[in-house]
Amino acid sequence: MSDSQSPTVRRRRLGMELRRLREASSLMIEDVAKHLECSMSRVSRIETGKSVARIRDVRDMLDLYQVGDATQREQLLTLAKDAQQRGWWTEYESVLSAGLDTYVGLEASAASIRTFQTHLVPGLLQTEEYSRALIKVGQPTESAANIDRMISLRRRRQAMLADAGTLEMWAVLDEAVLRRPIGGHAVMRAQLARLLEVDELPSVTIQVLPFTRGAHPGLGGAFTIIGFPDPTDLDVVYVDSPAGNIFLEKDKDVRRHTTWFDHLRAAALPPDESTDFIALVADEFKKTSPYPRG
């Protein structure tokens, strides 16, 4: 279930506020690092929400920034304490990379997820068999026990979609997502059937971007925009690349990807036509050729 009090989001909120206070005090990260007797990278990671801030450090930072308002200090110190809590997904830390840990923490508090995918079905919409096929190809030496834990984690994440009013998801899928027979034809038929099933949920919208549309803003790759219920928690863009997981939070980056997504939605087939297209491909996967004509 979605958790509006995710410690990942709390860390991010605390870091943004601490950065705002530092800049208002006309101090540099180097000044704060000297005051705390730590590295500049640690201060930077606290401000970006990538590291858990110690209560003592937050208190020292508030002193340095001359924050004298008792209520404000108490609110930020309470936020720091709450940010030290462990989310439910830490039960799976043995199979979670650092980047995925952050993503799942943000996803747990999300009010909306807008995603464009070029090759793969989004994790929240994958069947177990499809997920297993992907893991076995991408991590061929992974143990059966760890694969089971990865599947269990994905299943818990997917529970958010069944919780009415918790999360709204809008997925634009390149036609290649439907055409590539991950795990074989039987697995793909079941996966496409799953897409048709979740598309019936009022909180889920799926569109297909057919090859015939030609060039489009998503040719640079897949991305996901995560939105939160609290307007003070700004949207985050997530990009999964071979070089690692990237989180974009600058306003210009978020606006650019939001514009791209709007253009992709406009170029894609309408939801009802997308449903028909998915059903057509699923039917064609029953035949010999994995490349149906659309």
Side-chain angles (χ1 to χ4, degrees), residues 13 33 61 103 110 123 128 141 143 149 176 190 219 253-254 286:
R13 189 180 302 161
M61 293 168 83
Y103 178 83
E128 179 176 329
T141 61
S143 68
R149 288 189 62 75
L219 291 176
D253 293 326
V254 174
K286 297 178 183 178

Side-chain angles (χ1 to χ4, degrees), residues 132-249:
R132 285 186 182 277
L134 286 177
I135 295 171
K136 289 180 179 179
V137 170
Q139 304 175 57
T141 61
E142 195 60 80
S143 68
N146 279 348
I147 292 177
D148 286 342
R149 288 189 62 75
M150 292 178 190
I151 297 298
S152 177
L153 168 63
R154 187 154 297 181
R155 192 158 46 239
R156 288 191 66 174
R157 291 170 53 201
Q158 292 175 344
M160 293 188 298
L161 293 178
D163 189 3
T166 295
L167 175 69
E168 292 188 358
M169 182 175 189
W170 196 307
V172 177
L173 310 180
D174 189 275
E175 185 176 341
V177 174
L178 310 181
R179 301 291 190 185
R180 188 176 302 279
I182 303 296
H185 289 198
V187 170
M188 279 305 298
R189 285 200 302 271
Q191 176 59 76
L192 296 178
R194 171 61 176 164
L195 291 181
L196 294 174
E197 178 185 333
V198 296
D199 196 33
E200 294 294 324
L201 296 173
S203 59
V204 177
T205 302
I206 299 175
Q207 290 183 262
V208 175
L209 185 62
F211 293 145
T212 54
R213 292 294 193 261
H216 56 74
L219 291 176
F223 62 89
T224 299
I225 306 170
I226 308 173
F228 305 96
D230 190 329
T232 62
D233 295 321
L234 304 180
D235 291 357
V236 178
V237 175
Y238 170 76
V239 180
D240 188 3
S241 72
N245 304 307
I246 301 173
F247 295 90
L248 304 174
E249 302 184 55

Side-chain angles (χ1 to χ4, degrees), residues 21 61-74:
L21 290 170
M61 293 168 83
L62 296 179
D63 290 341
L64 179 62
Y65 305 150
Q66 298 182 0
V67 178
D69 184 274
T71 300
Q72 184 180 17
R73 289 179 66 92
E74 182 60 28

Side-chain angles (χ1 to χ4, degrees), residues 237-270:
V237 175
Y238 170 76
V239 180
D240 188 3
S241 72
N245 304 307
I246 301 173
F247 295 90
L248 304 174
E249 302 184 55
K250 292 183 179 180
D251 184 61
K252 65 176 182 179
D253 293 326
V254 174
R255 281 191 287 105
R256 179 169 63 249
H257 283 80
T258 299
T259 299
W260 286 348
F261 190 77
D262 289 340
H263 284 304
L264 290 166
R265 287 193 300 184
L269 297 174

